[in-house]
Amino acid sequence: MAAKIKKGDKVVVLVGKDKGKTGEVIEVRPSENRAVVRGVNIARHHQKQSAKSEGGIVAKEAALQISNLAIADPKDGKPTRVGFKLLDDGRKVRFAKRSGDVIDG
């Protein structure tokens, strides 16, 4: 099955402490069904000092369950479901079911 959420997509968080926030997908982990979104679900970790990095409390994005994310509609930025369709030139593309706009390519 083709991935409905990919790296670089604009997504909206549907549930949790960051509900309603939007951000760009930095990383997708298909085996875990999780994605990391820039500026969302910030976790603070205590980091020990090393030769490469400074010690202290570091803020970093934690992964979210993919089911808690929805693609932002290209037209109005509201959450939408994703469908697939074949274009006349034979390419398979994702489209927003809310507006019908093509998401990629």
Side-chain angles (χ1 to χ4, degrees):
M1 191 183 106
K4 294 195 174 183
I5 293 181
K6 296 181 178 179
K7 182 178 177 178
D9 284 345
K10 292 279 181 214
V11 294
V12 180
V13 180
L14 301 175
V15 294
K17 65 177 184 177
D18 293 320
K19 180 178 179 177
K21 285 189 181 176
T22 60
E24 182 186 344
V25 176
I26 302 170
E27 175 189 357
V28 178
R29 302 175 189 166
S31 60
E32 300 173 25
N33 269 342
R34 293 183 162 270
V36 179
V37 181
R38 180 172 284 123
V40 175
N41 196 26
I42 302 293
R44 294 164 64 81
H45 295 283
H46 293 262
Q47 186 173 314
K48 192 172 182 180
Q49 187 173 355
S50 68
K52 292 181 183 175
S53 61
E54 203 175 300
I57 301 171
V58 180
K60 187 178 172 187
E61 291 98 351
L64 289 159
Q65 196 74 24
I66 284 182
S67 63
N68 297 335
L69 301 174
I71 298 272
D73 194 314
K75 259 190 187 157
D76 58 11
K78 292 185 178 173
T80 182
R81 294 190 326 230
V82 177
F84 294 92
K85 65 181 172 184
L86 287 170
L87 297 179
D88 296 332
D89 60 4
R91 287 185 301 146
K92 183 179 180 183
V93 294
R94 297 177 301 157
F95 73 97
K97 289 198 173 185
R98 181 183 177 91
S99 65
D101 282 9
V102 173
I103 293 170
D104 45 18

